[in-house]
Amino acid sequence: MRWREAMARALYGPDGFFVRERPADHFRTSAHASPLFAAALARLVCQVDTALGAPAVLDLVDVGAGRGELLTALLAELPAPVRGRVRPVGVEVAARSAGGISWRTDLPRGLTGVLLATEWLDNVPLELARDGRYLDTDLDPGDPLSPADAAWAARWWPAGPDDVIELGRTRDEAWADAVTAVSAGLALTVDYGHLSGQRPPLPTATGFRHGREVPPAFDGSTDITCHVAMDSAAAAAGAGHVLLRQRDALRRLGVDGRRPPLALASTDPAAYVRALSAASAAAELTAPSGLGGHWWLAHPIGLPEPLPALS
Ligand SMILES: C[S@@+](CC[C@H](N)C(=O)[O-])C[C@H]1O[C@@H](n2cnc3c(N)ncnc32)[C@H](O)[C@@H]1O
């Protein structure tokens, strides 16, 4: 079976991994790593709210929301006057639990506010290919690429005959569709990925189970993920995007991994311990070789002026 269909069944079929499992039990995303991530996003939401002139209803949609951990934390971080106007929606194929949030399986449209998708696109099923042919789950070649996939490969991932290409067209389409759901505001996706000229030499497709990286299994027993071609997703969703590393985005939003001054330890030991703990969480979120190396792809839509955090 070709990679995309096998991945779709394994993750989202009747006994699929994400249908049964809680993502936080298997891997650590920025959303799970620290409340500092939600706090930074709350500051960004406030900037969008200001740019929109504080609308009566501010949409806040999380696509691939897991169990609502990020939305719940984000709502708690918003100032009350903004929180009171927010309409939070979690879009999720799997079982849902968090209260105070509307849940649905499809994208709401005509949004005024912020659409978020953290570590969603890497779980959107895709095809793998080599030398102009689709690969099956054993990486054996099959049918030739469709004209659309061949064009994507030629444009975004020129490769030698032995190289495996991870065809990002399905992610491009998913992201472009999500961005069209926003009438005014911001669409933001955060994920691990790569750009033209720096595509990975070896396949990135892998699995996670109970916190460990494992070979991807197609029986629904592991997560299956694959890095995202961020530049092709950006181009598919139209002009006017901002693409930056998480470490830069978070620093602009006030997340600082520097240690507090040692003098604080003697003047206010409790404050020192709190600041040290925040600095260590910030360091995890901004580490260049870890979460800090993830990409933020943002599309401001219909905003009168650039957002301070993204300009
Ligand atoms: C890696 S988890 C990320 C969870 C959370 N956003 C985070 O950052 O921790 C990906 C989630 O996206 C969900 N998902 C994937 N495709 C989806 C789709 N088309 N619609 C809704 N949810 C989807 C999966 O069920 C899974 O819960």
Coordinates of all heavy atoms in Angstrom, one line a residue, residues 137-199:
T137 N 5.0 1.2 1.8 CA 5.5 1.3 3.1 C 6.8 0.6 3.4 O 7.4 0.8 4.4 CB 4.4 0.9 4.2 OG1 4.0 -0.4 3.8 CG2 3.2 1.8 4.2
D138 N 7.2 -0.3 2.4 CA 8.5 -0.9 2.5 C 9.5 -0.1 1.7 O 10.6 -0.6 1.5 CB 8.4 -2.4 2.0 CG 7.6 -3.3 2.8 OD1 7.7 -3.1 4.1 OD2 6.8 -4.1 2.3
L139 N 9.1 1.0 1.2 CA 9.9 1.9 0.4 C 10.2 1.2 -1.0 O 11.3 1.5 -1.6 CB 11.2 2.3 1.1 CG 11.0 3.1 2.4 CD1 12.4 3.6 2.9 CD2 10.1 4.3 2.1
D140 N 9.4 0.4 -1.4 CA 9.5 -0.2 -2.8 C 8.7 0.7 -3.8 O 7.6 1.1 -3.4 CB 9.0 -1.6 -2.8 CG 9.9 -2.6 -2.1 OD1 11.1 -2.4 -2.1 OD2 9.3 -3.6 -1.5
P141 N 9.2 0.8 -5.0 CA 8.6 1.7 -6.0 C 7.4 1.1 -6.6 O 7.3 -0.1 -6.7 CB 9.7 2.0 -7.0 CG 10.6 0.8 -6.9 CD 10.5 0.3 -5.5
G142 N 6.4 2.0 -6.9 CA 5.2 1.5 -7.6 C 4.8 2.4 -8.8 O 5.7 2.6 -9.6
D143 N 3.6 3.0 -8.8 CA 3.1 3.8 -9.9 C 4.0 5.0 -10.1 O 4.5 5.6 -9.1 CB 1.7 4.2 -9.7 CG 0.8 3.0 -9.7 OD1 1.1 2.0 -10.3 OD2 -0.3 3.1 -9.1
P144 N 4.0 5.5 -11.4 CA 4.7 6.8 -11.6 C 3.9 7.9 -10.9 O 2.7 7.8 -10.7 CB 4.7 6.9 -13.1 CG 3.7 5.9 -13.6 CD 3.5 4.9 -12.6
L145 N 4.6 9.0 -10.6 CA 3.9 10.2 -10.0 C 2.9 10.8 -10.9 O 3.0 10.8 -12.1 CB 4.9 11.3 -9.7 CG 6.0 10.9 -8.6 CD1 6.9 12.2 -8.3 CD2 5.4 10.3 -7.4
S146 N 1.8 11.3 -10.3 CA 0.8 12.1 -11.1 C 1.5 13.3 -11.6 O 2.5 13.8 -11.0 CB -0.4 12.5 -10.1 OG 0.1 13.4 -9.2
P147 N 0.9 14.0 -12.6 CA 1.5 15.2 -13.1 C 1.7 16.3 -11.9 O 2.7 17.0 -11.8 CB 0.6 15.7 -14.2 CG -0.1 14.4 -14.7 CD -0.2 13.5 -13.5
A148 N 0.6 16.3 -11.1 CA 0.7 17.4 -10.0 C 1.8 17.1 -9.0 O 2.6 18.0 -8.6 CB -0.6 17.4 -9.2
D149 N 2.0 15.8 -8.7 CA 3.1 15.5 -7.7 C 4.5 15.6 -8.4 O 5.4 16.0 -7.8 CB 2.9 14.1 -7.2 CG 1.9 14.0 -6.0 OD1 1.7 15.1 -5.3 OD2 1.3 13.0 -5.8
A150 N 4.5 15.2 -9.7 CA 5.8 15.4 -10.4 C 6.2 16.9 -10.5 O 7.3 17.2 -10.3 CB 5.7 14.8 -11.8
A151 N 5.2 17.7 -10.7 CA 5.4 19.2 -10.8 C 5.9 19.7 -9.4 O 6.8 20.5 -9.3 CB 4.2 19.9 -11.2
W152 N 5.2 19.2 -8.3 CA 5.6 19.6 -7.0 C 7.1 19.2 -6.7 O 7.9 20.0 -6.2 CB 4.7 19.0 -5.9 CG 5.0 19.5 -4.5 CD1 4.3 20.5 -3.9 CD2 6.0 19.1 -3.6 NE1 4.8 20.8 -2.7 CE2 5.8 19.9 -2.5 CE3 7.0 18.2 -3.6 CZ2 6.7 19.8 -1.3 CZ3 7.8 18.1 -2.5 CH2 7.7 18.9 -1.4
A153 N 7.4 18.0 -7.1 CA 8.8 17.5 -6.8 C 9.8 18.3 -7.6 O 10.9 18.7 -7.1 CB 8.9 16.0 -7.2
A154 N 9.5 18.6 -8.9 CA 10.4 19.4 -9.7 C 10.6 20.8 -9.1 O 11.7 21.3 -9.1 CB 9.9 19.5 -11.1
R155 N 9.5 21.4 -8.6 CA 9.6 22.8 -8.1 C 10.2 22.8 -6.7 O 11.0 23.7 -6.4 CB 8.2 23.3 -8.0 CG 8.0 24.6 -7.2 CD 8.7 25.8 -7.9 NE 8.6 27.0 -7.1 CZ 9.5 27.4 -6.1 NH1 10.4 26.5 -5.8 NH2 9.3 28.5 -5.5
W156 N 9.9 21.9 -5.8 CA 10.2 22.0 -4.4 C 11.3 21.1 -3.9 O 11.8 21.3 -2.9 CB 8.9 21.9 -3.5 CG 8.0 23.0 -3.8 CD1 6.8 22.9 -4.4 CD2 8.1 24.4 -3.4 NE1 6.2 24.2 -4.4 CE2 7.0 25.1 -3.8 CE3 9.1 25.1 -2.7 CZ2 6.8 26.4 -3.6 CZ3 9.0 26.4 -2.5 CH2 7.8 27.1 -2.9
W157 N 11.5 20.0 -4.6 CA 12.4 19.0 -4.1 C 13.2 18.3 -5.2 O 13.0 17.0 -5.4 CB 11.7 18.0 -3.2 CG 12.5 17.2 -2.2 CD1 13.8 16.6 -2.4 CD2 12.2 16.9 -0.9 NE1 14.2 16.0 -1.3 CE2 13.3 16.1 -0.3 CE3 11.1 17.1 0.0 CZ2 13.3 15.6 1.0 CZ3 11.1 16.6 1.3 CH2 12.2 15.9 1.8
P158 N 14.0 19.0 -6.0 CA 14.8 18.4 -7.0 C 15.7 17.4 -6.3 O 16.3 17.7 -5.3 CB 15.6 19.5 -7.6 CG 15.0 20.8 -7.1 CD 14.3 20.5 -5.8
A159 N 15.8 16.2 -6.8 CA 16.5 15.1 -6.1 C 17.1 14.1 -7.1 O 16.7 14.0 -8.3 CB 15.6 14.4 -5.2
G160 N 18.2 13.4 -6.7 CA 18.8 12.4 -7.5 C 17.9 11.1 -7.5 O 17.0 11.0 -6.7
P161 N 18.3 10.2 -8.4 CA 17.5 9.0 -8.6 C 17.4 8.1 -7.3 O 16.4 7.3 -7.2 CB 18.1 8.2 -9.7 CG 19.5 8.8 -9.9 CD 19.4 10.2 -9.3
D162 N 18.3 8.2 -6.4 CA 18.3 7.3 -5.2 C 17.7 8.0 -4.0 O 17.5 7.4 -3.0 CB 19.7 6.9 -4.8 CG 20.4 6.1 -5.9 OD1 19.6 5.4 -6.6 OD2 21.6 6.1 -6.1
D163 N 17.3 9.3 -4.2 CA 16.9 10.1 -3.0 C 15.4 9.9 -2.8 O 14.6 9.9 -3.8 CB 17.1 11.6 -3.2 CG 18.6 11.9 -3.3 OD1 19.4 11.2 -2.7 OD2 19.0 12.8 -4.0
V164 N 15.0 9.8 -1.5 CA 13.5 9.7 -1.2 C 13.0 11.1 -1.0 O 13.6 12.0 -0.3 CB 13.3 8.9 0.1 CG1 11.8 9.0 0.5 CG2 13.7 7.5 -0.1
I165 N 11.9 11.4 -1.7 CA 11.2 12.7 -1.6 C 10.0 12.5 -0.8 O 9.2 11.6 -1.0 CB 10.8 13.2 -3.0 CG1 12.1 13.5 -3.8 CG2 10.0 14.5 -2.9 CD1 11.7 13.8 -5.3
E166 N 9.8 13.5 0.2 CA 8.5 13.5 0.9 C 7.6 14.5 0.3 O 7.9 15.7 0.5 CB 8.8 13.7 2.4 CG 9.7 12.6 3.0 CD 10.3 12.8 4.3 OE1 10.5 14.0 4.7 OE2 10.8 11.8 4.9
L167 N 6.6 14.1 -0.4 CA 5.8 15.0 -1.3 C 4.9 15.8 -0.4 O 3.9 15.3 0.1 CB 5.1 14.2 -2.3 CG 5.9 13.6 -3.4 CD1 5.1 12.4 -4.1 CD2 6.3 14.7 -4.5
G168 N 5.2 17.1 -0.4 CA 4.4 18.0 0.6 C 3.1 18.5 0.0 O 2.5 19.3 0.7
R169 N 2.7 18.1 -1.1 CA 1.5 18.7 -1.7 C 0.3 18.6 -0.8 O -0.5 19.5 -0.8 CB 1.2 18.0 -3.1 CG 0.4 18.9 -4.0 CD 0.5 18.4 -5.4 NE 0.0 17.1 -5.6 CZ -1.3 16.8 -5.8 NH1 -2.2 17.7 -5.8 NH2 -1.7 15.5 -5.9
T170 N 0.1 17.5 -0.2 CA -1.1 17.3 0.7 C -1.1 18.3 1.9 O -2.1 18.9 2.3 CB -1.2 15.9 1.3 OG1 0.1 15.5 1.8 CG2 -1.7 14.9 0.2
R171 N 0.1 18.6 2.4 CA 0.3 19.6 3.5 C 0.0 21.0 2.9 O -0.7 21.8 3.6 CB 1.7 19.5 4.1 CG 1.9 18.4 5.1 CD 2.3 17.1 4.5 NE 2.6 16.1 5.5 CZ 3.7 16.0 6.2 NH1 4.7 16.8 6.0 NH2 3.8 15.0 7.1
D172 N 0.5 21.2 1.7 CA 0.3 22.6 1.1 C -1.2 22.8 1.0 O -1.7 23.9 1.3 CB 0.9 22.6 -0.3 CG 2.4 22.5 -0.3 OD1 3.0 22.4 0.8 OD2 3.0 22.6 -1.4
E173 N -1.9 21.8 0.5 CA -3.4 21.9 0.3 C -4.1 22.1 1.6 O -5.0 22.9 1.7 CB -3.9 20.7 -0.5 CG -3.5 20.7 -2.0 CD -3.8 19.4 -2.7 OE1 -4.4 18.5 -2.1 OE2 -3.5 19.4 -3.9
A174 N -3.7 21.3 2.6 CA -4.4 21.4 3.9 C -4.2 22.8 4.5 O -5.1 23.4 5.0 CB -3.8 20.3 4.8
W175 N -2.9 23.3 4.4 CA -2.7 24.6 5.0 C -3.3 25.7 4.2 O -3.9 26.7 4.8 CB -1.1 24.9 5.1 CG -0.9 26.2 5.8 CD1 -0.1 27.2 5.3 CD2 -1.3 26.6 7.1 NE1 -0.1 28.3 6.1 CE2 -0.8 27.9 7.2 CE3 -2.1 26.1 8.0 CZ2 -1.1 28.7 8.4 CZ3 -2.4 26.8 9.2 CH2 -1.9 28.1 9.3
A176 N -3.3 25.7 2.9 CA -4.0 26.7 2.1 C -5.4 26.7 2.4 O -6.0 27.8 2.5 CB -3.7 26.4 0.6
D177 N -6.0 25.6 2.6 CA -7.5 25.5 2.9 C -7.7 26.1 4.3 O -8.7 26.9 4.5 CB -7.9 24.1 2.9 CG -9.4 23.9 3.1 OD1 -10.2 24.7 2.5 OD2 -9.8 23.1 4.0
A178 N -6.8 25.8 5.3 CA -7.0 26.4 6.6 C -6.9 27.9 6.6 O -7.7 28.6 7.2 CB -6.0 25.8 7.6
V179 N -6.0 28.4 5.8 CA -5.8 29.9 5.7 C -7.0 30.6 5.1 O -7.4 31.7 5.6 CB -4.5 30.2 4.9 CG1 -4.4 31.7 4.7 CG2 -3.3 29.7 5.7
T180 N -7.7 29.9 4.2 CA -8.9 30.5 3.6 C -10.0 30.6 4.6 O -11.0 31.3 4.4 CB -9.4 29.8 2.3 OG1 -9.8 28.5 2.7 CG2 -8.3 29.7 1.3
A181 N -9.9 29.9 5.7 CA -11.0 29.9 6.7 C -11.0 31.3 7.4 O -12.0 31.6 8.1 CB -10.8 28.8 7.7
V182 N -9.9 32.0 7.4 CA -9.8 33.3 8.1 C -10.1 34.4 7.2 O -9.5 34.6 6.1 CB -8.3 33.5 8.6 CG1 -8.2 34.8 9.4 CG2 -7.9 32.3 9.5
S183 N -11.2 35.2 7.5 CA -11.5 36.4 6.8 C -10.7 37.6 7.2 O -10.3 38.4 6.3 CB -13.0 36.7 7.0 OG -13.8 35.7 6.6
A184 N -10.4 37.7 8.5 CA -9.6 38.8 9.0 C -8.9 38.3 10.2 O -9.5 37.7 11.1 CB -10.5 40.0 9.2
G185 N -7.6 38.6 10.3 CA -6.8 38.2 11.5 C -5.5 37.5 11.1 O -4.8 38.0 10.2
L186 N -5.3 36.3 11.7 CA -4.0 35.7 11.5 C -4.2 34.2 11.5 O -4.9 33.6 12.3 CB -3.1 36.0 12.7 CG -1.7 35.5 12.6 CD1 -0.8 36.2 11.6 CD2 -1.0 35.5 14.0
A187 N -3.5 33.5 10.5 CA -3.4 32.1 10.5 C -2.0 31.8 10.8 O -1.1 32.3 10.1 CB -3.8 31.5 9.1
L188 N -1.7 30.9 11.8 CA -0.4 30.6 12.2 C -0.2 29.1 12.3 O -1.0 28.4 13.1 CB -0.1 31.2 13.5 CG 1.2 30.8 14.2 CD1 2.5 31.3 13.5 CD2 1.3 31.3 15.7
T189 N 0.8 28.5 11.7 CA 1.1 27.1 11.9 C 2.5 27.0 12.4 O 3.4 27.8 12.0 CB 0.9 26.2 10.7 OG1 1.0 24.8 11.1 CG2 1.9 26.5 9.6
V190 N 2.8 26.1 13.4 CA 4.1 25.9 14.0 C 4.4 24.5 13.8 O 3.6 23.6 14.2 CB 4.0 26.3 15.5 CG1 5.4 26.1 16.1 CG2 3.6 27.7 15.7
D191 N 5.6 24.2 13.2 CA 5.9 22.8 13.0 C 7.4 22.7 12.7 O 8.1 23.6 12.5 CB 5.2 22.2 11.8 CG 4.6 20.9 12.2 OD1 5.4 20.0 12.7 OD2 3.4 20.6 11.9
Y192 N 7.9 21.4 12.8 CA 9.3 21.2 12.4 C 9.3 20.9 10.9 O 8.3 20.4 10.3 CB 9.9 20.0 13.1 CG 9.0 18.8 13.4 CD1 8.8 17.8 12.5 CD2 8.4 18.7 14.7 CE1 8.0 16.7 12.8 CE2 7.6 17.7 15.0 CZ 7.4 16.7 14.1 OH 6.6 15.6 14.4
G193 N 10.3 21.4 10.2 CA 10.3 21.3 8.8 C 11.6 21.8 8.1 O 12.6 22.0 8.8
H194 N 11.5 22.1 6.9 CA 12.8 22.4 6.1 C 12.4 23.3 4.9 O 11.2 23.5 4.6 CB 13.5 21.2 5.6 CG 12.5 20.1 5.2 ND1 11.8 20.2 4.0 CD2 12.2 18.9 5.7 CE1 11.1 19.1 3.8 NE2 11.2 18.3 4.9
L195 N 13.4 23.9 4.3 CA 13.2 24.8 3.2 C 14.0 24.3 2.0 O 14.9 23.5 2.1 CB 13.8 26.2 3.5 CG 13.2 26.9 4.8 CD1 13.9 28.2 5.0 CD2 11.7 27.0 4.8
S196 N 13.7 24.8 0.8 CA 14.4 24.5 -0.4 C 15.9 24.7 -0.2 O 16.3 25.6 0.4 CB 14.0 25.4 -1.6 OG 12.7 25.1 -2.0
G197 N 16.7 23.8 -0.8 CA 18.1 23.9 -0.7 C 18.6 23.2 0.6 O 19.8 23.0 0.8
Q198 N 17.7 23.0 1.6 CA 18.1 22.3 2.8 C 17.2 21.1 3.1 O 17.0 20.8 4.3 CB 18.0 23.3 4.0 CG 18.8 24.6 3.8 CD 18.3 25.7 4.6 OE1 17.5 25.6 5.6 NE2 18.7 26.9 4.3
R199 N 16.7 20.5 2.1 CA 15.9 19.3 2.3 C 16.7 18.2 2.9 O 17.9 18.1 2.6 CB 15.3 18.8 1.0 CG 14.5 19.8 0.2 CD 13.2 20.2 0.8 NE 12.4 21.1 0.0 CZ 11.7 22.1 0.5 NH1 11.5 22.3 1.8 NH2 11.0 22.9 -0.4

